[in-house]
Amino acid sequence: MYIFAGYAAEQAKTKAVLRRLALPAKSALHCRSNTNNRITSPANEEGNHMQNFIKVQNCAKALRGMVETKVKMPRYGIVLGTGLGGIAGLVEKPLFVPFADLPDFPLSGVASHAGRFVLGEARGVPVIIQQGRCHIYEGYSPADVCMGTRVMGALGVEGLIVTNAAGALNPRFDAGSIMVIADHINLTGQSPLTGPNHDEAGPRFPDMSAVYDPDLMAVAEKAALSTGIRLEKGVYAGLPGPQLETPAETRMLRALGADAVGMSTVLEVIAAKHMGLKILGFSCLTNKNLPDCMAGTSLEEVIEVAGLAGKRLTTVMSQILSKL
Ligand code: HPA
């Protein structure tokens, strides 16, 4: 079921709020195309500085207005990466809200991403699933990349489960396997926390000594064991992309301690940690990325292998949710 009702009313209310705040309504309500969301000069435009506080609040308010009489408010947020949309099938009686129906929500141009939120209960847990994300390689700012995470945080979720497709750097990890993310290395050269800090959202200098929640990781490991699905554990390196890595770069990443490499997740996780959310992360390893026997990969291969690994991740996720 698609939810459109209430958007016009919500828009009018948001306009009234913006008038009170004396903000240009256009910037907060009508930047729906990809081009409008690309980085121009983030610091200059109201609401477009790195933490994006007002846009997030507007978006969360609009989303809440669309769903609050129809579903329980979510306890967990889940972000689905490339090829992993099937996990949304765990939601009973799902309510779909396309990103395009939300004011200022950045729209991904990646064809394999559905571009919507899915709300409802999965194994008894009220969830909000972000089906698709935008990336810095598309030209988006860290604030745009983290908009979904922050909206889910603003709705009051206690935890965030992030998923992605990634290349395996650890030679012991096979293509098609699933890795629980124990830690990450942010190699994007960017942070969603630069710019003025919004103390209401989180601290200026958030602690990063235990980003991925040990208790959630233990639940994931038990869930995998109980379903007979092998779960690797390792460090995810997040690069800006879009180009894949050279053999020399994969050698460097391995030397830095990374087990998997991809082009997403780290900025969203930083924003989630800033908001104090519990975090669990999974990479579906779609290809082996070994410096001495590099094989090329393609989006088609990534989607196909992620789809297969995604079926197993759905089984594990179902078990995890039943324990939350
Ligand atoms: N490198 C970076 N990102 C990726 C890869 C890779 O090998 N595979 C899937 N996403």
Side-chain angles (χ1 to χ4, degrees):
M1 178 175 35
Y2 280 78
I3 299 298
F4 296 111
Y7 178 66
E10 207 50 50
Q11 228 181 4
K13 267 192 260 165
T14 312
K15 271 189 188 149
V17 170
L18 291 173
R19 266 198 301 279
R20 276 208 305 282
L21 294 169
L23 302 177
K26 181 180 172 295
S27 73
L29 288 168
H30 296 298
C31 293
R32 292 220 190 155
S33 70
N34 285 345
T35 32
N36 277 339
N37 280 306
R38 275 167 212 252
I39 310 169
T40 45
S41 53
N44 294 340
E45 226 185 290
E46 197 298 312
N48 199 22
H49 60 70
M50 301 312 250
Q51 291 195 27
N52 229 9
F53 192 65
I54 291 171
K55 282 186 185 179
V56 169
Q57 295 304 313
N58 284 340
C59 221
K61 194 169 164 241
L63 184 53
R64 187 189 294 276
M66 290 176 195
V67 304
E68 72 184 340
T69 57
K70 300 177 175 89
V71 290
K72 286 189 193 155
M73 277 300 110
R75 275 185 57 215
Y76 273 82
I78 303 175
V79 185
L80 300 184
T82 307
L84 300 172
I87 293 171
L90 290 174
V91 179
E92 289 154 33
K93 298 193 196 138
L95 199 61
F96 298 109
V97 180
F99 298 154
D101 286 1
L102 295 171
D104 260 342
F105 201 92
L107 307 175
S108 172
V110 178
S112 57
H113 288 219
R116 63 188 182 185
F117 283 112
V118 184
L119 293 104
E121 287 188 40
R123 300 295 304 264
V125 182
V127 294
I128 174 165
I129 297 186
Q130 183 186 330
Q131 211 174 9
R133 51 157 65 100
C134 64
H135 307 83
I136 44 181
Y137 64 71
E138 296 176 81
Y140 286 107
S141 66
D144 284 332
V145 168
C146 296
M147 182 90 157
T149 303
R150 286 177 165 148
V151 166
M152 293 191 278
L155 284 185
V157 298
E158 64 186 66
L160 183 74
I161 304 177
V162 285
T163 68
N164 59 50
L169 296 165
N170 186 325
R172 292 199 309 276
F173 296 175
D174 289 324
S177 58
I178 303 166
M179 182 186 94
V180 63
I181 305 176
D183 203 350
H184 75 224
I185 308 174
N186 174 14
L187 293 172
T188 64
Q190 305 208 52
S191 166
L193 306 183
T194 53
N197 188 56
H198 284 284
D199 298 334
E200 308 93 305
R204 172 77 285 188
F205 301 108
D207 180 61
M208 290 280 145
S209 61
V211 175
Y212 296 87
D213 188 85
D215 295 335
L216 286 180
M217 237 183 295
V219 171
E221 284 171 327
K222 267 198 203 135
L225 212 57
S226 73
T227 52
I229 291 170
R230 186 180 168 86
L231 192 62
E232 310 292 359
K233 187 174 186 178
V235 174
Y236 174 87
L239 265 59
Q243 72 285 353
L244 292 149
E245 301 71 42
T246 65
E249 286 165 347
T250 63
R251 196 173 287 112
M252 174 194 76
L253 292 168
R254 191 74 189 123
L256 289 178
D259 296 290
V261 57
M263 303 174 195
S264 67
T265 304
V266 290
L267 299 181
E268 293 147 277
V269 165
I270 291 168
K273 187 69 186 168
H274 179 241
M275 291 184 291
L277 303 187
K278 292 189 276 187
I279 300 160
L280 178 65
F282 295 100
S283 290
C284 280
L285 306 177
T286 56
N287 54 293
K288 288 193 92 146
N289 211 332
L290 306 178
D292 298 315
C293 53
M294 282 295 283
T297 190
S298 62
L299 181 61
E300 291 70 34
E301 182 187 33
V302 167
I303 292 171
E304 189 189 332
V305 183
L308 294 174
K311 290 208 172 80
R312 272 175 284 124
L313 184 54
T314 304
T315 307
V316 175
M317 199 77 96
S318 171
Q319 272 297 311
I320 293 172
L321 287 165
S322 72
K323 301 283 184 292
L324 295 179

